[in-house]
Amino acid sequence: MSAPPTRPELAGTFGMVSTTHWLATAVGQSVLERGGTAPDAAAAAGFALQVVEPHLNGPAGEVPILLAPPGQPVQVLCGQGVAPAAATPEAFEALGLDHVPGTGLLAATVPGSFGAWALLVQRWGTWSVADVLAPAIALAADGAPVLDRVEATLSRTAAHLRAHWPTSAATYLVGDGPDGVPVAGELLRLPALADTYRRVVEAAGTGGHEEQWERARAAWYSGFVAEAVDDFCRTTEWLDSSGEVHGGLLTGDDLAAWRATVEEPATLDLPQHPGVTVCKTGAWGQGPVMLQVLGVLGALGVGSGPLADAEGREDPAWLHAWAEATKLALADREAWFGDSGDTPPPLADLLDHAYLAERSRLIGEAADTGADGLRPGSPGGRSPVLPLAVTRRWEAWRDGTAEAGAAVGAGEPTVDRGRGAAAAADGSTRGDTVHLDVVDRWGTVVSATPSGGWLQSSPVVPALGFPLGTRGQMFRVERGLPATLRPGRRPRTTLSPTLVLRDGVPWLGLGTPGGDQQDQWTTVYLARVLAAAHHGRRTGEPPSRLTPLQALLDEPMLHTDHAPSSFHPRAAEPGSLLLEDRFAPHVVADLRRRGHRVALGDGWQLGRTCVVGVEHGVLRAAANARGAQGYAAGR
């Protein structure tokens, strides 16, 4: 028999919630218990996450949301704000910058999170603005227990906040620890944020459901919130990761001109699993990476993935194929994904099964160690163009003249392998992301990955009680690329929720924090779920009609840093493969024999995947034990 799962295999019929923080899970489940729908519960949990994980997301961040109402098509709600009208390559070059700084005001895009949550509840939910925001207001006003990682983040950045971002120091350095850092378990109160959301509730007023949410949206994007953002960016200047002091480019007009959008998802049917369709965001995010990897694996004929045996030993040949398919998909991401070109990314060609089969033929017995650089394809006969910075970094790595390893930056981390324990010289330390999934008794599934607006990445706007986002750092100043900085366009985000259909019916919603690694960890997890669901449970376990979602979350995880990070300083480790040390020794040895540059990390460090699902009329949920923070609940 294999080891028991770290947490129960949840199953019920009323509703399920899984998020990266137990308090947000409790908020979401409480909404379901009081008659709310999955959209209502997801929004309430999303606003709560802004309070309880402020180092990982905030009110001025962004969120892509996947929604699957039963009997209706899957929808993508894009809560990724766009670049300001004044944000051009010329503007940054005039400041002497060849990239968008990872911290401070220059990297701010339109805060998209509020608009996306508002649209979700306005169109598909039932709850009022006051009811949805009530838990977040209570947590901000009464205080939420500080996580040890919040304490660590503030400890690393306290000197910088006091010296350079005093509005942030006044907001967060109000605890009992050294230099005012709140200690783990201490209540952190955010009264200014609570007041902001109270003002939104007041502006929403009463009356019709849709009208309430429209008034709330107006308060945010053309009312007092937009006015405060405009004033802050126009009249203040702050030290950022460039080492210089800069003001902001974002204006009230930028906020007023933006609305969250509803789009069709990018999808891929899996021939190796008839009836299964995987849904992701478009190529303005990295979501199609997962689809390409699954398609390449299918073309290789290796299926979705092998079942681990009773000792948890997994087939290294499949892991090798997955790693190589991932490298190819990430190379395509660098060459083709983005929102800044005059024509959209060639998504249909990138996901064409003939193209994916062509890409699969590049995979052999030996690992791609990076000697030939990144290898993007030519979908539809087009010629790929990689950013010049990527090409130069690769040449420097190949020539041995530059380090390619990870460094402390301001964006979502891959993993802390002993590096990045201290703040950078400018006080920056990397932020990450949160995730939530909800399924209600009617079978509606919501999967969302909020991020941005990190407390450590930009100074607090004192009139609002929260900092602006820094997602603009993902743009490239170099011209002519799909991800080139361009006014009114979306940065190519890493945020990547997933919805899976079986026979056209919502089956799974899942996702994880983790920047560039999100679609790596979730693809491996989904492959294991598909294998278990379609071929029976793991060897040595009793038969069941239900897939062991929790046990499969507990399996050891891996990823590669072969492709450049989406965040400055765009680090890469060509040919790398990081494995949790719970993989069997023969797996590690086989991967090394194939040429992978294998490193072993702590056995419980990669990913914080959440998942909900519906199987045979039974509602399911699981949450990752990694980080000892995420939780699932339901009945």
Side-chain angles (χ1 to χ4, degrees):
M1 294 287 291
S2 60
T6 57
R7 297 170 183 189
E9 294 286 355
L10 298 186
T13 58
F14 183 82
M16 293 278 167
V17 180
S18 179
T19 83
T20 50
H21 194 293
W22 66 89
L23 287 177
T25 297
V27 166
Q29 187 64 24
S30 74
V31 173
L32 297 180
E33 295 289 349
R34 289 180 286 159
T37 66
D40 299 320
F47 285 117
L49 283 168
Q50 297 170 1
V51 182
V52 299
E53 295 194 84
H55 61 313
L56 306 182
N57 78 134
E62 46 275 324
V63 59
I65 305 170
L66 294 184
L67 168 69
Q72 301 179 38
V74 173
Q75 305 282 0
V76 176
L77 279 68
C78 178
Q80 176 56 65
V82 299
T88 63
E90 292 81 5
F92 281 81
E93 289 166 353
L95 295 171
L97 297 173
D98 62 0
H99 68 281
V100 179
T103 66
L105 299 186
L106 284 176
T109 55
V110 172
S113 182
F114 187 90
W117 291 127
L119 178 61
L120 177 69
V121 182
Q122 181 183 38
R123 190 174 300 184
W124 288 278
T126 61
W127 273 34
S128 68
V129 176
D131 287 341
V132 168
L133 286 174
I137 292 172
L139 286 165
D142 301 335
V146 169
L147 299 167
D148 56 356
R149 296 183 183 187
V150 173
E151 178 186 358
T153 297
L154 287 171
S155 294
R156 290 195 292 267
T157 56
H160 173 78
L161 299 186
R162 290 210 180 277
H164 302 290
W165 296 353
T167 59
S168 296
T171 301
Y172 301 113
L173 300 181
V174 292
D176 296 334
D179 207 18
V181 173
V183 298
E186 183 179 354
L187 293 178
L188 174 62
R189 295 177 174 85
L190 301 171
L193 174 58
D195 286 343
T196 292
Y197 278 136
R198 288 191 188 103
R199 291 184 67 183
V200 170
V201 170
E202 181 180 357
T206 58
H209 174 78
E210 291 189 13
E211 290 76 13
Q212 271 194 52
W213 280 100
E214 189 59 30
R215 288 192 292 268
R217 205 203 75 83
W220 196 272
Y221 291 100
S222 57
F224 78 95
V225 173
E227 292 169 0
V229 169
D230 184 286
D231 179 73
F232 192 71
C233 289
R234 186 166 36 82
T235 64
T236 67
E237 294 184 334
W238 307 85
L239 182 69
D240 59 39
S241 58
S242 71
E244 301 293 333
V245 173
H246 297 111
L249 302 175
L250 192 62
T251 69
D253 289 341
D254 293 318
L255 272 70
W258 183 85
R259 292 189 78 97
T261 55
V262 179
E263 307 173 4
E264 293 184 359
T267 63
L268 187 73
D269 296 329
L270 303 184
Q272 66 270 40
H273 295 291
V276 173
T277 302
V278 184
C279 306
K280 302 290 290 187
T281 70
W284 50 267
Q286 73 170 345
V289 164
M290 172 187 279
L291 305 182
Q292 285 196 300
V293 172
L294 292 172
V296 168
L297 292 175
L300 285 172
V302 298
S304 61
L307 292 172
D309 63 19
E311 285 73 44
R313 295 177 301 191
E314 204 153 28
D315 181 2
W318 185 88
L319 295 173
H320 163 73
W322 166 84
E324 296 308 294
T326 297
K327 294 173 186 177
L328 294 173
L330 290 173
D332 272 353
R333 184 192 71 172
E334 291 304 302
W336 298 110
F337 289 22
D339 186 43
S340 297
D342 292 325
T343 58
L347 190 56
D349 289 327
L350 286 164
L351 299 180
D352 181 78
H353 283 287
Y355 174 74
L356 297 174
E358 174 188 329
R359 297 288 277 162
S360 75
R361 290 191 281 273
L362 295 175
I363 297 175
E365 287 296 312
D368 173 11
T369 59
D372 297 325
L374 285 184
R375 298 187 293 171
S378 300
R382 302 169 182 84
S383 298
V385 178
L386 289 171
L388 184 59
V390 170
T391 304
R392 287 176 174 170
R393 176 177 284 275
W394 218 273
E395 290 172 349
W397 168 79
R398 194 166 48 200
D399 296 341
T401 58
E403 288 285 338
V408 178
E412 300 163 21
T414 55
V415 66
D416 183 1
R417 303 184 210 173
R419 294 186 290 263
D426 61 5
S428 65
T429 184
R430 293 181 293 187
D432 199 352
T433 299
V434 298
H435 185 81
L436 64 91
D437 298 296
V438 184
V439 58
D440 62 26
R441 66 185 116 165
W442 301 283
T444 299
V445 178
V446 177
S447 183
T449 310
S451 187
W454 304 299
L455 68 84
Q456 64 273 23
S457 294
S458 196
V460 164
V461 182
L464 302 175
F466 58 80
L468 295 175
T470 53
R471 188 64 53 175
Q473 67 183 284
M474 305 181 80
F475 283 114
R476 291 189 180 271
V477 173
E478 180 184 346
R479 294 164 177 79
L481 302 170
T484 295
L485 176 64
R486 192 167 174 178
R489 298 298 179 93
R490 295 169 289 191
R492 192 199 73 202
T493 181
T494 54
L495 308 177
S496 195
T498 305
L499 266 169
V500 185
L501 308 178
R502 189 158 56 177
D503 298 324
V505 178
W507 176 28
L508 300 170
L510 65 147
T512 180
D516 296 276
Q517 278 63 48
Q518 289 178 35
D519 280 303
Q520 298 192 48
W521 298 329
T522 52
T523 300
V524 172
Y525 176 68
L526 178 58
R528 289 167 171 164
V529 170
L530 288 167
H534 287 254
H535 303 294
R537 288 169 65 99
R538 288 172 45 194
T539 303
E541 295 185 352
S544 171
R545 297 184 74 215
L546 302 180
T547 309
L549 297 181
Q550 185 63 55
L552 293 170
L553 268 187
D554 295 341
E555 295 289 339
M557 190 51 71
L558 76 167
H559 76 244
T560 177
D561 293 315
H562 180 83
S565 168
S566 296
F567 298 87
H568 187 75
R570 312 283 187 175
E573 296 182 30
S576 66
L577 202 58
L578 177 65
L579 276 67
E580 291 180 334
D581 61 14
R582 293 182 291 128
F583 278 98
H586 84 278
V587 171
V588 177
D590 187 279
L591 292 171
R592 284 178 170 154
R593 178 186 62 80
R594 294 171 186 269
H596 295 280
R597 296 186 172 100
V598 175
L600 297 180
D602 178 83
W604 294 90
Q605 74 179 102
L606 300 185
R608 290 198 294 148
T609 302
C610 301
V611 60
V612 300
V614 186
E615 291 188 291
H616 309 296
V618 178
L619 307 184
R620 308 292 314 287
N624 211 313
R626 294 168 179 84
Q629 186 177 310
Y631 225 76
R635 72 172 176 92

